[in-house]
């Protein structure tokens, strides 16, 4: 399954679901973005290209691949509070509401909007569903622009 034809196409497609936060300065040549959003600091693999990002307020599409063994739709009666924890250097786990679902991709609001790929996993989720999830590292960051 192909999720993107280019980083520009992916960024434009999911720009409405970009997270607002703050980018911190990165070391010369580092492929990681340090992005604070939703009360968390995330380390994202920079998909916007070298020198495209500047420190300060930013809009970033945060993209991850779901771990199918740790992802499931929750029953309506379960606690619906949004949660998000950083796992390792560049993965997250949490619980959030599905905002959008399209072939192979779920947009989940879990303290911040996340664009999560299912990569063919047999997961049926619809907008409004509550999802418990974990991503596989690394998370990717696509810069939309300044906040």
């Amino acid at each position: 399954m192909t999720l993107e034809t280019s980083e520009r196409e992916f960024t434009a497609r999911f720009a409405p679901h970009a997270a607002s936060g703050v980018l911190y300065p990165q070391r010369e040549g580092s492929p990681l973005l340090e992005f604070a959003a939703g009360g968390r600091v995330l380390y994202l693999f920079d998909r916007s290209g070298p020198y495209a990002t500047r420190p300060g307020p930013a809009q970033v599409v945060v993209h991850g691949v779901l771990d199918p063994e740790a992802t499931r739709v929750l029953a309506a009666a379960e606690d619906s509070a949004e949660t998000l924890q950083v796992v390792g250097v560049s993965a997250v786990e949490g619980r959030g509401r599905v905002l959008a679902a399209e072939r192979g991709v779920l947009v989940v609001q879990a303290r911040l909007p996340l664009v999560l790929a299912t990569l063919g996993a047999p997961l049926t989720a619809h907008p409004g569903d509550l999802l418990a999830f974990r991503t596989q590292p690394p998370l990717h960051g696509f810069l939309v622009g300044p906040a």
Side-chain angles (χ1 to χ4, degrees):
M1 172 190 305
T2 302
L3 293 177
E4 61 183 83
T5 55
S6 73
E7 73 282 347
R8 287 185 183 160
E9 180 273 332
F10 189 88
T11 303
R13 183 171 151 206
F14 292 106
H17 303 292
S20 296
V22 176
L23 283 170
Y24 291 99
Q26 61 188 31
R27 289 186 11 206
E28 179 74 23
S30 173
L32 292 179
L33 299 173
E34 188 174 0
F35 182 59
R40 302 291 180 261
V41 175
L42 304 174
Y43 290 92
L44 310 173
F45 184 70
D46 184 357
R47 294 297 304 275
S48 300
Y51 313 110
T53 58
R54 299 281 182 258
Q59 296 276 68
V60 176
V61 175
V62 178
H63 171 60
V65 175
L66 290 170
D67 177 346
E69 294 180 12
T71 301
R72 65 185 177 92
V73 175
L74 299 172
E78 295 188 56
D79 181 7
S80 63
E82 292 179 13
T83 64
L84 188 68
Q85 293 86 30
V86 176
V87 178
V89 174
S90 186
V92 291
E93 67 181 4
R95 180 177 46 232
R97 191 72 55 193
V98 176
L99 301 177
E102 54 184 80
R103 196 180 118 252
V105 178
L106 301 173
V107 178
V108 178
Q109 176 65 38
R111 297 185 61 98
L112 64 132
L114 301 165
V115 177
L116 303 174
T118 60
L119 289 186
L123 176 66
T124 303
H126 305 283
D129 286 347
L130 185 62
L131 189 74
F133 63 90
R134 182 171 56 217
T135 65
Q136 299 173 353
L139 292 170
H140 292 228
F142 296 80
L143 181 66
V144 174

